[in-house]
Amino acid sequence: MTKFIFVTGGVVSSLGKGITAASVAALLEARGIKVTMTKLDPYINVDPGTMSPFQHGEVFVTEDGAETDLDLGYYERFLRHSKMSKNNNFTSGKIYQSVLEKERRGDYLGGTVQVIPHITDEIKRRIHASGEGYDIAMIEIGGTVGDIESLPFMEAVRQMRVELGHSQSLLMHLTLVPYIASAGESKTKPTQHSVKELRSIGLQPDVLICRSEYPISEDNRRKIALFTNVEERAVILCPDAQSIYQIPSILHEQQLDDLICQRFGLQTNTADLSDWQAFTDVLLNAEDSVTVAMVGKYVELPDAYKSINEALLHAGVANHVKVNIAYVDAERLETENALMDVVKNADAVLVPGGFGERGTVGKMQAISYARTHGVPYLGICLGMQLAVIEFARNVIGLEANSTEFDKRTKEPLIALITEWFDEKGELQVRSDDSDLGGTMRLGAQKAELVEDSRLRQIYASPTISERHRHRYEMNGRYIDTLQDAGMKISGYSAKQHLVEAVELTDHPWFIAVQFHPEFTSQPRGGHPLFNSFVQAAIHHKAQHANDKQPTAEH
């Protein structure tokens, strides 16, 4: 029978529930326990797919094509053996949608549909389904205790704890212990009030994770335990760390995994954290560094590119260097010369995915510089589409564009696809107002890599599987034109023969891909494409050590 660990947060948001929950899951997995994780989000959106990155940060995509909360990215990066799916993230909107659909079908036999029991029953059903086949399921409740939006989730957790019993469930509560500089001490009162708020809705935490900017004294630990009715050994102190990848070790040192296993009556091996130790040793002690200019339009909120940031960090460790990210606002780059200097001083350039025309001119300026000056370039999703358009315009002389930006463009190099192909098997596109029928490619899809391509050498495999999140495709009618001019098509989708990747044959390292490799990067070993990209940046830096200006630091 699956055992459940519920994770809640109090006092303030952004304490790091997702990272903490993922760290606990990594600890348990290191003991040989089969673990999965699920995120419950209180907002009314059905999923985060249509939400602005400025509000929500990155949309993480699972293998089965679900658009989910970015915390699922942490879950996959911290766990070795569990992949997330559409069952591992659901919102209030999705719950209410499901219940209302049942009501419209008459499933409730004309009864009055209410939050209790109908909404809470649907929540419990999904929680149980997400944990099937696992020893332990960690369930993270989004938001902060006391928020009206999360009350149905909290009530469902209360009911499940009664139904499961003490030996089958555990409640872990993350709180803030603020440091008051004027008083020169940490204050426990916010944590006490947060637990009081939990108790008011029928929930008593079994474990407290106390986040703080500074170390918390043992006296305060005892005080927290006394006033919250939590075992002293279950009050876990978690001060700020140099890296999130140290947190599993911090929790292990306080024997949190032992406490959980004892609570659930699990006989397991001691946690083996040697891989985490090896990773953090390199991460925190790298002697050399490279700078990657990331040119995007959401750079004011780095969480909008969270998986890319982590993939670059992983690749840095794989290459024993620190990767500094110089964020460049693509829209401002169009008019501010100082930002172009950031691009010129970088060791590599990366243009990530995105939607809409805003900032595309600045992105293509950065792409053009990387292409003409031999700077390593990695384009992802929109970063590939713009690389193709920039090349077609400036090398071939076409009036190329995407129908996403100009539906009447004379040269629709990028466009929505139809449901059919011509007799030659070539992709046909619409470039008029009827193209609203285009559909988004989501989730893991196989691609075939061209035999003599750099991309195939990097992956060391003729076929790969990577995740997608995009609606527009490269027009197959331009393949020969591009290849004749020196831009090689290095990958095609296995199912529809859509262009998946391009590269420049006369460039030190210029690769752009339609898929999102960042979603599958792991701290243990990184991702082959990012590893090769960072290696190219190291080589470029070494070659231009004498003539480069000091690089921008992140």
Side-chain angles (χ1 to χ4, degrees), residues 29-260:
E29 189 182 68
R31 298 181 71 127
I33 298 170
K34 192 177 181 182
V35 186
T36 189
M37 305 187 70
T38 296
K39 174 74 182 289
L40 281 57
D41 282 304
Y43 49 76
I44 302 299
N45 303 66
V46 174
D47 61 45
T50 59
M51 296 171 68
S52 167
F54 285 122
Q55 289 194 16
H56 187 266
E58 169 190 86
V59 174
F60 185 80
V61 178
T62 60
E63 283 195 352
D64 61 353
E67 295 177 285
T68 71
D69 185 83
L70 61 81
D71 277 334
L72 271 73
Y74 288 120
Y75 300 169
E76 285 205 0
R77 287 188 284 272
F78 276 70
L79 291 173
R80 275 185 181 275
H81 306 300
S82 294
K83 293 294 183 185
M84 301 300 106
S85 73
K86 60 185 178 182
N87 294 326
N88 296 103
N89 184 209
F90 55 89
T91 68
S92 289
K94 190 168 288 185
I95 294 295
Y96 278 89
Q97 181 186 54
S98 177
V99 170
L100 290 172
E101 286 173 352
K102 291 178 181 179
E103 186 271 335
R104 292 289 85 188
R105 290 197 305 265
D107 291 8
Y108 300 120
L109 303 177
T112 301
V113 178
Q114 298 176 295
V115 173
I116 302 173
H118 302 97
I119 296 297
T120 52
D121 281 353
E122 180 66 15
I123 293 170
K124 291 190 293 182
R125 184 190 69 78
R126 288 175 180 261
I127 291 174
H128 279 293
S130 71
E132 285 183 4
Y134 291 88
D135 300 322
I136 293 179
M138 298 203 64
I139 312 297
E140 178 192 349
I141 315 296
T144 305
V145 170
D147 294 346
I148 191 171
E149 293 92 345
S150 62
L151 284 177
F153 289 129
M154 295 297 186
E155 171 59 20
V157 170
R158 185 195 67 77
Q159 293 177 22
M160 283 191 69
R161 297 207 71 201
V162 173
E163 294 161 3
L164 290 166
H166 182 270
S167 64
Q168 299 294 323
S169 71
L170 182 147
L171 177 58
M172 186 178 300
H173 187 56
L174 194 72
T175 75
L176 176 68
V177 180
Y179 180 81
I180 308 301
S182 60
E185 60 182 354
S186 299
K187 293 295 184 180
T188 66
K189 189 64 71 175
T191 292
Q192 296 176 42
H193 278 289
S194 184
V195 173
K196 182 180 178 182
E197 188 75 37
L198 264 180
R199 284 174 164 175
S200 71
I201 55 178
L203 292 169
Q204 166 65 41
D206 302 296
V207 174
L208 287 177
I209 309 289
C210 298
R211 291 281 291 108
S212 60
E213 188 177 358
Y214 296 96
I216 301 170
S217 68
E218 286 299 318
D219 284 344
N220 274 338
R221 184 180 194 165
R222 286 190 287 271
K223 184 177 180 181
I224 290 169
L226 177 64
F227 285 101
T228 61
N229 201 30
V230 173
E231 253 189 294
E232 188 176 324
R233 68 168 184 155
V235 177
I236 307 298
L237 310 181
C238 196
D240 288 352
Q242 288 180 271
S243 167
I244 60 172
Y245 296 103
Q246 293 177 289
I247 296 176
S249 296
I250 291 172
L251 301 180
H252 178 64
E253 289 167 2
Q254 297 176 69
Q255 301 178 340
L256 177 57
D257 49 322
D258 287 338
L259 186 155
I260 293 171

Side-chain angles (χ1 to χ4, degrees), residues 250-312:
I250 291 172
L251 301 180
H252 178 64
E253 289 167 2
Q254 297 176 69
Q255 301 178 340
L256 177 57
D257 49 322
D258 287 338
L259 186 155
I260 293 171
C261 289
Q262 290 170 16
R263 167 66 175 269
F264 288 149
L266 299 174
Q267 302 298 319
T268 67
N269 300 322
T270 303
D272 180 6
L273 300 180
S274 56
D275 53 351
W276 289 106
Q277 188 62 52
F279 178 82
T280 54
D281 283 349
V282 175
L283 176 64
L284 301 178
N285 297 295
E287 296 181 357
D288 198 4
S289 67
V290 293
T291 297
V292 173
M294 187 186 297
V295 185
K297 66 177 183 179
Y298 308 120
V299 294
E300 293 178 15
L301 181 67
D303 270 2
Y305 304 112
K306 177 55 68 177
S307 288
I308 294 179
N309 298 342
E310 295 301 306
L312 288 170

